[in-house]
Amino acid sequence: MSKIKKILALVLCALLVVGVLAACSGNGGQQGGGGEGQETTPAESGEGGGEQAGEKTLVVGYSPFSNKFSPFFSETAYDQDVYTMTQLGLLSSDRQGAIIYKGIDGETINYNGTDYTYYGPANLVVTENEDGTVFYDFELRQDLVFSDGEPLTVDDIIFSMYVLSDPSYDGSSTFFALPIEGMADYRSDMKSLADLIFDAGRDNTDFTLFTEEQQTAFWGFYDNVTKVLAEEIVAYCVNNGYNEEGDIAGAAGNWGFSIEDNTIEAFQKALADAYGSDLNNMVNTEAATGESIDAFSEVDYAGEYVQNMVVVADPVANISGIQKIDDYHLRVVLTEVDATAIYQLGVSIAPLHYYGDKAAFNVEENNFGFPKGDLSSVRAKTTQPMGAGPYKFIKFENGVVNFEANDNYYLGAPKTKYVNFQELLSDDDKLNGVTTGTIDITDPSFSQDTIAAIEKANGGELTGAKVTTNTVDNLGYGYIGMCAKVMNVGGDPASEASKNLRRAFGTIFSVYRNVAIDTYYGDRASVINYPISNTSWAAPQSTDDGYKVAFSTDVNGNDIYTSDMTDEQRYEAALQAALGFLEAAGYTVTDGKVTAAPQGASLEYEAWIPGDGTGDHPSFMILTEAANAFAKIGITLKVKDLTNSSELWTALEAQQLAIWCAAWGATVDPDMYQIYFSGDGTRAAGGSNYMYAINDPELNQLILDGRTSTDQAYRKTIYKACLDKVIDWAVEIPVYQRQNAIIFSTERVNMDTVTPDITTFYGWMQEIQNIELN
């Protein structure tokens, strides 16, 4: 479970970069927009937006919640949707995910042949200065109020930004990492008790900043958790046949840690050296089973050590780059261009008077609504969100979140007074709820079984008298990965020989993509040729110069296929091209078969796929067909179909896998740091770089260059070069772009009032204030 949670956290962290610009199930926060072909003028504060729907309730089916409905501390996609119902983001976006800079007066943008006018709570002007600094000047509407009637001003924005910047903040947002003038200094004058005690060492005798009792308790707990974790990893490796009993150093090595002494203590030290005081990250990243998680849960580590902040230097009173001009104007100063900043600056505007202390807010006196280093008032409201969004949170009990319309919503009071988010345990429950009339809107997995059930309910159609189906491209893509650290020649992942080895496999995998994806998804997915979601503006198009089908050239750079080839001819051509790559990699090839492998490579590889033990995965056919093809030329490809997907994440963490199948989530901005950046001495590697183990200085520089400009055309060129580099390394085979589905009860929901032209970035929730029930 820990690995599943970690992968989910990575995705959510990425999603949170967009603030409330992109909620999950609804594909967008409530920023509002015009009706089809018309302009919708924002209502004055307090006015209704149309005829009230009486006591009818809109019921939305959801997967289970975690009851963390905070704009600062939510962890799951479903919890994010709950708080988004109640919140207003500083910036809004259009149907293609582009930022709206003139939110007050509105911007009219054509999509799919229709003009739509988009509004937001603010205007924004971005100025790049000659000295390299960048000004973000916000002008706020002057008629905004929260759901309780309290006026919304710049003070609420500043408060929200200071929460996200606080030294004790430990939520998913990375707002604090922006190059905002004064941010680093503001966060450096305090340290957590965990960092202080850890950095002082277990032999410390200076108790100026903490007590001896605190130090003793800390190290007792820390040592116990790392001991349990080290023992757990060793047991896992032994039980799964990776190491012999007693081979602690070998198990540590398989987990990515090098130790000289074959002892648990040495393994503990290696873990401590890697993670320092970040025990939570250590356990959630490295846990093999669950004993260490249980041990870690015995103490409120976050409350006692991480969130307990201690002043260690001369206090820094403010962040100089967050500047209040007046009640409705704000300037944020960045020290350098950061193309991703625009998405992180669109923070949820949380009410100061609710989450903080209005009496403790005075910018001139450097008071920002809470004591620096103490977010207890904010954390106390984690389960009870409040804001200026279209709905008011009422309660969460018995698996149902209750909302009531916010009559003060700036785009007009919602036409449906009550909304319930109801927990459902399975996709069957979601679908049955819509067909039986107990659920109005939900998002089942768009599987063949789901399609068959919808068509049966509608008499053969996806949209009919019972169910209306709306599909959009998923913000992400499926791939087959290869770890360069595991799959190489002579121990050099970056050599041409190593790349040719991986290219051989990439060529065979790629040729079977069309038949596999068509069989599994039909029209609900398409094959992609670059490792990026087709929803991204940076995704190469088939009409672009330099566009290539993935892995379609041989070792000499010649095209493998011709347009008149049959499928069988293509499969044979791919096999011969793979032989050419293997020979170039150093394999011995005799009479069309491989007979010997070069040093560090093998005649046998294993591919892992989470298909529930039944082959239920889009790429399963690719692997089985590839295994049959490789067998013809003397290579054995074993396919391991996992019943427990957590095993995959565990093995990936340890860099034990040569080949695997999975999918990436994506964000509006195509920044590639997280996955491909390998570190450059001053900047740490991206959090997911270990998976492919790419280490390419040229790719690193391209990724950094992509962050230094806001020119989309320039960035697209840069990211095309990045994608070409990734394909050249042959560590990621792009496979498919699938669709997501939102289904509506045709009988209960007035479909004429549902958000038109729903997209990946602009979902049905964007204009929820307009939805009416029949």
Side-chain angles (χ1 to χ4, degrees), residues 8 14 253 294:
L8 174 62
D294 292 338

Side-chain angles (χ1 to χ4, degrees), residues 111-127:
Y111 178 81
N112 200 24
T114 301
D115 285 341
Y116 293 101
T117 300
Y118 302 89
Y119 294 94
N123 291 341
L124 170 63
V125 176
V126 181
T127 306

